Amino acid sequence: MNAIKIKMTVLIILGAVISIQAARLVVRLRQQRIAVSHHQAKCKGNPRAILKIVEYTDFQCPACAKGAEVLKQYHLVYPERLYVEYKHFPLEMHPKAMSIAIAAECAAQQKKFWPFHDLAFERQNLLRESVNLSGRLKEIAGLSGLNQQVFLRCLEDPKTKEAIARDKDEGKLLKISATPTYFINGKMVVGGNALKQELEKSAGRLP
Amino acid sequence: MRKLNFFLFLRGIVAAIFIVSGTEKLLSPYENFLYVIQNYQILPYPWMEKMVALGFPWIEVTLGLFLLLGLWIRGTLLGLAGATASFIFIVSQAIIRNLPINSCGCFGDLVKVPLPVILTMDSLILVSIFLMSYNRTRILLLSLDRYFDQKS
């Protein structure tokens, strides 16, 4: 009877493994069918680079700020090896993330996304502690060279928020749950440290 | 009869928690759970973190399934107690060290649970496991262990 019990145990484990693997296959097939959108203004680098990176980040996330710094350094040292595309993934636990994302999206519409992005991450602590967020964002817009009137109109436009929601929905379909999440040539990498390790392996170490 | 039903209910709930928790992690990219483990800063080597990220959800599902079916109950309860005690230790050290973790990551993407809440939940689960351990005859009702014991 013990032998039968052991056989039944093995069958139950096999059954569980097969069921879960089948479910994972279905999930992966669904993910492959996801149509990923591209916004040229939020891309930078060499389109023929060996490393194509899609990042899903949140402007209020400290780990994302570190990741942004790593990517900036790599762009400076290895400009030909990287092509980076930014996607919004503001987390609900960060109350100011959506507002900053909207402002950054408006900067993208004026083709000034990356200067705005860099300043927003550099001033992340300031933005988090600020009681006048819109004032701070207008300041960053000014420093990034944006037309303020166009910027302010864009902030109120519901299509701007929709663009961010599209990025986030795409991220959720790709099973992103934390920021920063990067896809380096399709390989998922979560966290700034993991990004640095992956870049060191693929592009080389920073001097 | 009411006491018997209570222990069966407890067995079902604890089993479901582990099955759902493990399955959710297995249906998400393992990189998400790997990131959760890295945030707790408990394992000394990256290969250990990767091993836990890949292997632990399978252990959760297996133990949960065995508890649900009432199979190898003694060993299963021991395994579940060990797993739950480990969670309690890991979460406690994260709270004490004030690590910047907003959500425990225990249920993958399904539910975001703050650390103090998960500590309470894990403690209740551990108490439930001890209750079941001390009332094993009662939880053996509708179990494969009893079926095989009766047949032999």
Side-chain angles (χ1 to χ4, degrees), chain A residues 3-200:
Chain A
I4 298 173
K5 191 176 176 183
I6 291 167
K7 278 178 192 166
M8 178 151 278
T9 303
V10 171
L11 278 170
I12 287 168
I13 292 172
L14 273 173
V17 168
I18 290 167
S19 307
I20 289 173
Q21 292 293 63
R24 282 169 119 183
L25 189 63
V26 168
V27 167
R28 249 179 240 144
L29 288 170
R30 272 194 200 152
Q31 280 179 352
Q32 281 168 9
R33 280 193 217 139
I34 294 166
V36 173
S37 61
H38 301 283
H39 191 333
Q40 205 52 44
K42 292 187 292 185
C43 297
K44 75 169 174 180
N46 174 13
R48 289 186 199 149
I50 52 166
L51 292 177
K52 289 189 168 62
I53 302 171
V54 182
E55 57 170 331
Y56 288 81
T57 69
D58 168 326
F59 280 104
Q60 217 183 319
C61 147
C64 301
K66 285 183 191 154
E69 188 54 37
V70 168
L71 280 175
K72 196 175 168 184
Q73 292 302 317
Y74 265 89
H75 258 292
L76 285 170
V77 177
Y78 302 109
E80 289 302 301
R81 294 188 196 178
L82 266 65
Y83 184 71
V84 180
E85 182 175 358
Y86 182 95
K87 301 262 184 167
H88 298 288
F89 202 87
L91 298 173
E92 269 138 36
M93 67 172 90
H94 294 144
K96 294 179 180 178
M98 181 53 96
S99 303
I100 305 170
I102 289 171
E105 188 63 22
C106 291
Q109 288 183 15
Q110 293 191 48
K111 311 252 189 288
K112 304 275 186 196
F113 173 78
W114 289 105
F116 189 99
H117 161 283
D118 292 348
L119 281 166
F121 273 122
E122 275 165 34
R123 295 175 179 209
Q124 192 181 65
N125 291 337
L126 211 65
L127 290 172
R128 185 178 51 242
E129 288 154 17
S130 171
V131 291
N132 178 19
L133 180 66
S134 57
R136 292 277 179 218
L137 291 173
K138 280 180 214 163
E139 215 174 273
I140 295 175
L143 290 167
S144 306
L146 269 70
N147 178 310
Q148 290 285 356
Q149 280 181 339
V150 173
F151 177 67
L152 291 172
R153 272 202 303 273
C154 170
L155 290 179
E156 302 303 318
D157 188 348
K159 285 184 188 164
T160 314
K161 206 171 179 181
E162 281 167 22
I164 291 153
R166 269 197 304 273
D167 276 358
K168 192 159 181 192
D169 288 343
E170 195 180 275
K172 283 181 187 172
L173 288 170
L174 293 170
K175 295 282 188 177
I176 292 170
S177 64
T179 56
T181 295
Y182 306 91
F183 289 89
I184 302 177
N185 292 347
K187 179 185 175 182
M188 189 184 202
V189 170
V190 185
N193 289 337
L195 168 72
K196 196 170 180 196
Q197 282 164 15
E198 198 60 36
L199 288 176
E200 279 174 2

Side-chain angles (χ1 to χ4, degrees), chain B residues 6-103:
Chain B
F6 168 73
F7 284 104
L8 273 184
F9 172 76
L10 210 57
R11 191 179 115 197
I13 291 285
V14 173
I17 288 170
F18 276 88
I19 291 169
V20 167
S21 172
T23 306
E24 178 55 32
K25 291 187 193 87
L26 287 168
L27 294 182
S28 292
Y30 89 95
E31 288 88 355
N32 283 336
F33 188 44
L34 177 62
Y35 187 55
V36 167
I37 293 165
Q38 287 166 343
N39 283 340
Y40 281 100
Q41 299 176 29
I42 197 110
L43 294 170
Y45 301 107
W47 64 265
M48 277 183 177
E49 289 170 340
K50 198 170 177 180
M51 255 179 64
V52 171
L54 288 169
F56 190 75
W58 287 107
I59 293 171
E60 278 186 294
V61 168
T62 306
L63 289 176
L65 208 52
F66 280 10
L67 185 65
L68 188 71
L69 296 171
L71 192 57
W72 308 107
I73 287 242
R74 197 175 172 178
T76 300
L77 287 173
L78 196 64
L80 289 171
T84 311
S86 305
F87 295 152
I88 291 171
F89 169 73
I90 289 163
V91 172
S92 301
Q93 63 88 36
I95 293 172
I96 290 166
R97 290 163 69 192
N98 208 18
L99 296 178
I101 300 168
N102 290 303
S103 166

